[in-house]
Amino acid sequence: MKLSAYSNLEELRQRKQELRTQLDHDSDQIGQLWQGLFVRREDSTRGEFIASVISNSALAIDAFLMVRKLKKTHNTLFRIFKRKKNK
């Protein structure tokens, strides 16, 4: 809403209170989600640990190969990020 949509100070105060309530509610939700990110997981079994190591290794190799392929096919894009040598 535009500021000119309010006809008196009471409407403006009421809108301000509504916005403050909504901000407080959103802040509480963000806080709960943030805490949920850092909940410690239960200890995994040795098999689950090995499976996660293999999965993460395969993901890292795949990412490396993808970057290598992109660099080979689109080398001009990667030249932008190289530093220029001072002669």
Side-chain angles (χ1 to χ4, degrees), residues 69-84:
K69 184 177 180 180
L70 286 173
K71 186 174 180 182
K72 185 177 180 182
T73 57
H74 304 289
N75 198 18
T76 56
L77 291 176
F78 288 93
R79 287 185 196 155
I80 296 171
F81 300 110
K82 287 186 178 180
R83 290 185 178 177
K84 294 181 182 179

Side-chain angles (χ1 to χ4, degrees), residues 23-38:
L23 276 174
D24 289 341
H25 177 70
D26 292 345
S27 178
D28 291 341
Q29 283 185 332
I30 290 171
Q32 290 172 356
L33 291 173
W34 187 259
Q35 287 177 353
L37 288 175
F38 298 106

Side-chain angles (χ1 to χ4, degrees), residues 21-60:
T21 305
Q22 186 178 3
L23 276 174
D24 289 341
H25 177 70
D26 292 345
S27 178
D28 291 341
Q29 283 185 332
I30 290 171
Q32 290 172 356
L33 291 173
W34 187 259
Q35 287 177 353
L37 288 175
F38 298 106
V39 174
R40 184 178 176 148
R41 291 187 272 167
E42 296 177 16
D43 293 334
S44 58
T45 63
R46 187 160 177 88
E48 291 173 341
F49 174 74
I50 292 172
S52 69
V53 167
I54 292 171
S55 175
N56 289 338
S57 299
L59 183 65

